[in-house]
């Protein structure tokens, strides 16, 4: 596939009058996503939400995301966000007092908090000098008491890409499940349940996938479904068959709820289709090239430190500037027309405590950002 920068920029009017470097936060949706969302909302205004929902083809999303994520359509469910997807799957896991949960040093606060709140016995797998999870160390920690390995594919505060297949292979040797937090990877790097063997994948629509806010996806592999009993199914996930009896669905949709934003769901589907039409591998190459251009430019600036780790890096670029607090630098850049955000220790406490970092600026250029805009951002970091 040939990448057409002019076409994707024309589909993304918000990228024309600013240097948008926050696709790891909430990206700019392309026109087909806007058309899907707004079109359905208009239809609801014309005939009501129920009739408009009946006319919408919500079933189209399951094979679409199965293609995107390398799984079967009956292994796909949709939620209102990445955290909701993760919480829904985790709530179905029956953990006993002697069970162990392994996490990596880049565990995200949104998953660490529910683990700790549930009283889980979590243990941190060390990283290699490159920052990736140390698979050899993981193997040394695994035994039959480990019920879950929580793996962040791409951390919120840096560009490294963790190995998935190797972690899954090791975890499965002792019967542990692997939850893959793909919130920062789907939409910028390939993610495949079939190729990695991972049991659960969770992610959001609003980030690199360029879908609407309030959308998320959940993959629960068929082989893992019997070990994850949904805690709060409703009349979408189950059927009330008698006054005191129910029958739950046998596919991943048992984890869904009946109520959802149909407009946003259609927008999420449009975002996935847009990505597949561009080509996942093509997008991954374009994003990686922009991030490396940004890293290289920032590394040459006096007083600027790039904090990204990893042998294999992707589209997230984190940095700091001596003498300028991260929040102040973010605000100055925004005033100059460069949209970035800040990563804080509270989001990745293990990693940033280990590295002695409190906060840093996070930039995440997507494929619609031009080389000229990357260079402009570098220039402004050096001068604002």
């Amino acid at each position: 596939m040939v990448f057409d920068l002019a076409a994707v920029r024309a589909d993304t009017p918000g990228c024309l009058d600013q240097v948008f470097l926050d696709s790891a936060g909430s990206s700019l949706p392309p026109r087909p996503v806007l058309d899907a969302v707004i079109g359905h909302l208009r239809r609801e205004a014309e005939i009501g939400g129920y009739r408009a929902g009946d006319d919408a083809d919500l079933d189209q999303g399951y094979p679409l995301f199965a293609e995107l994520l390398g799984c079967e359509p009956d292994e796909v469910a949709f939620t209102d966000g990445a955290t909701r997807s993760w919480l829904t799957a985790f709530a179905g896991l029956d953990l006993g007092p002697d069970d162990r949960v392994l996490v990596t040093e880049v565990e995200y606060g949104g998953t660490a908090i529910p683990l700790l709140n549930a009283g889980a016995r979590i243990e941190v797998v060390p990283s290699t000098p490159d920052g990736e999870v140390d698979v050899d160390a993981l193997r040394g920690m695994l035994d039959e008491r480990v019920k879950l390995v929580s793996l962040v594919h791409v951390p919120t505060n840096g560009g490294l890409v963790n190995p998935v297949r190797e972690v899954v292979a090791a975890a499965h040797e002792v019967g542990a499940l692997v939850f893959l937090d793909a919130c920062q990877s789907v939409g910028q790097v390939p993610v495949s349940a079939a190729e990695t063997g991972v049991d659960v994948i969770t992610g959001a629509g609003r980030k690199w996938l360029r879908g609407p806010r309030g959308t998320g996806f959940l993959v629960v592999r068929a082989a893992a479904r019997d070990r994850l009993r949904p805690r709060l199914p409703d009349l979408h996930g189950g059927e009330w068959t008698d006054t005191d009896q129910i029958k739950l669905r046998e596919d991943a949709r048992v984890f869904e709820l009946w109520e959802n934003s149909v407009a946003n769901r259609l927008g999420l589907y449009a975002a996935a289709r847009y990505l597949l039409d561009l080509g996942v591998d093509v997008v991954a190459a374009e994003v990686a090239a922009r991030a490396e251009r940004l890293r290289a430019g920032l590394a040459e600036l006096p007083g600027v430190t790039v904090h990204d780790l990893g042998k294999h890096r992707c589209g997230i670029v984190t940095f700091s500037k001596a003498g300028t607090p991260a929040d102040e630098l973010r605000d100055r850049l925004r005033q100059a027309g460069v949209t970035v955000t800040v990563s804080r220790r509270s989001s990745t406490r293990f990693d940033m405590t280990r590295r002695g970092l409190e906060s840093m600026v996070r930039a995440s250029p997507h494929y619609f950002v031009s080389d000229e805009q990357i260079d402009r951002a570098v220039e402004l970091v050096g001068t604002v």
Side-chain angles (χ1 to χ4, degrees):
M1 297 182 181
V2 177
F3 180 74
D4 188 340
L5 177 61
V8 298
R9 285 176 64 80
D11 276 343
T12 313
C15 77
L16 302 179
D17 58 357
Q18 65 173 316
V19 183
F20 187 84
L21 304 178
D22 192 22
S23 286
S26 186
S27 192
L28 302 175
R31 289 187 189 277
V33 173
L34 295 179
D35 292 344
V37 173
I38 295 171
H40 185 79
L41 288 175
R42 286 186 176 138
R43 189 62 175 155
E44 286 188 352
E46 293 167 355
I47 63 174
Y50 275 21
R51 282 183 61 190
D54 290 342
D55 292 344
D57 179 12
L58 290 181
D59 287 342
Q60 65 179 298
Y62 300 95
L64 186 66
F65 270 78
E67 179 182 356
L68 178 63
L69 300 174
C71 62
E72 296 299 320
D74 68 353
E75 297 175 325
V76 175
F78 296 105
T79 72
D80 59 8
T83 300
R84 180 75 67 190
S85 294
W86 199 95
L87 290 172
T88 299
F90 176 66
L93 184 63
D94 186 17
L95 288 176
D98 297 324
D99 293 334
R100 300 166 59 209
V101 175
L102 303 186
V103 303
T104 67
E105 289 190 325
V106 294
E107 188 71 23
Y108 181 58
T111 49
I113 288 172
L115 281 167
L116 293 169
N117 184 62
R121 179 183 173 187
I122 65 172
E123 302 168 41
V124 182
V125 182
S127 303
T128 67
D130 293 309
E132 299 170 358
V133 58
D134 188 328
V135 179
D136 290 335
L138 168 68
R139 288 185 181 277
M141 298 174 68
L142 288 167
D143 62 27
E144 68 280 356
R145 295 172 298 164
V146 177
K147 293 299 184 287
L148 172 64
V149 176
S150 177
L151 178 63
V152 176
H153 197 189
V154 172
T156 187
N157 66 330
L160 75 84
V161 181
N162 264 320
V164 179
R165 188 179 308 169
E166 297 89 339
V167 170
V168 172
H172 283 180
E173 288 178 6
V174 298
L177 295 176
V178 179
F179 283 19
L180 183 67
D181 175 356
C183 192
Q184 291 291 6
S185 55
V186 172
Q188 66 147 331
V189 297
V191 178
S192 172
E195 291 181 7
T196 61
V198 71
D199 301 291
V200 170
I201 299 174
T202 61
R206 74 175 192 269
K207 296 178 181 288
W208 299 95
L209 195 51
R210 303 184 65 197
R213 294 199 68 172
T215 58
F217 52 86
L218 168 65
V219 171
V220 178
R221 304 302 302 281
R225 206 172 296 146
D226 289 343
R227 298 174 61 184
L228 298 173
R229 178 175 177 81
R231 298 293 183 185
L232 296 172
D234 70 354
L235 49 70
H236 175 80
E239 180 184 359
W240 196 7
T241 57
D242 207 336
T243 53
D244 59 352
Q245 295 181 1
I246 63 169
K247 180 181 179 182
L248 297 183
R249 294 185 66 115
E250 296 181 355
D251 58 11
R253 295 192 216 184
V254 69
F255 294 100
E256 295 180 347
L257 296 178
W258 182 83
E259 181 60 33
N260 67 90
S261 168
V262 176
N264 279 353
R265 183 77 62 82
L266 294 174
L268 178 65
Y269 297 172
R273 191 174 294 108
Y274 194 88
L275 171 60
L276 288 169
D277 287 346
L278 288 175
V280 174
D281 290 336
V282 171
V283 165
E286 294 292 332
V287 171
R290 283 155 177 74
E292 285 303 321
R293 186 183 187 97
L294 180 58
R295 285 190 194 99
L298 291 171
E300 294 180 357
L301 295 176
V304 173
T305 302
V306 177
H307 296 289
D308 295 327
L309 302 175
K311 291 184 295 185
H312 308 286
R313 296 189 297 193
C314 59
I316 297 179
V317 180
T318 50
F319 62 96
S320 58
K321 184 177 180 180
T324 308
D327 287 68
E328 182 178 336
L329 182 54
R330 174 204 60 198
D331 293 344
R332 290 181 183 180
L333 288 170
R334 286 181 177 178
Q335 291 170 5
V338 178
T339 299
V340 294
T341 192
V342 172
S343 283
R344 308 182 194 283
R345 179 179 288 195
S346 57
S347 294
T348 49
R349 189 162 291 277
F350 295 137
D351 175 59
M352 291 180 72
T353 299
R354 175 177 63 90
R355 292 199 276 161
L357 298 168
E358 287 292 340
S359 62
M360 47 192 174
V361 177
R362 185 183 72 185
S364 44
H366 219 322
Y367 54 75
F368 53 74
V369 180
S370 68
D371 286 349
E372 292 77 14
Q373 289 181 313
I374 296 288
D375 296 343
R376 176 61 175 161
V378 171
E379 177 187 354
L380 287 168
V381 169
T383 58
V384 296

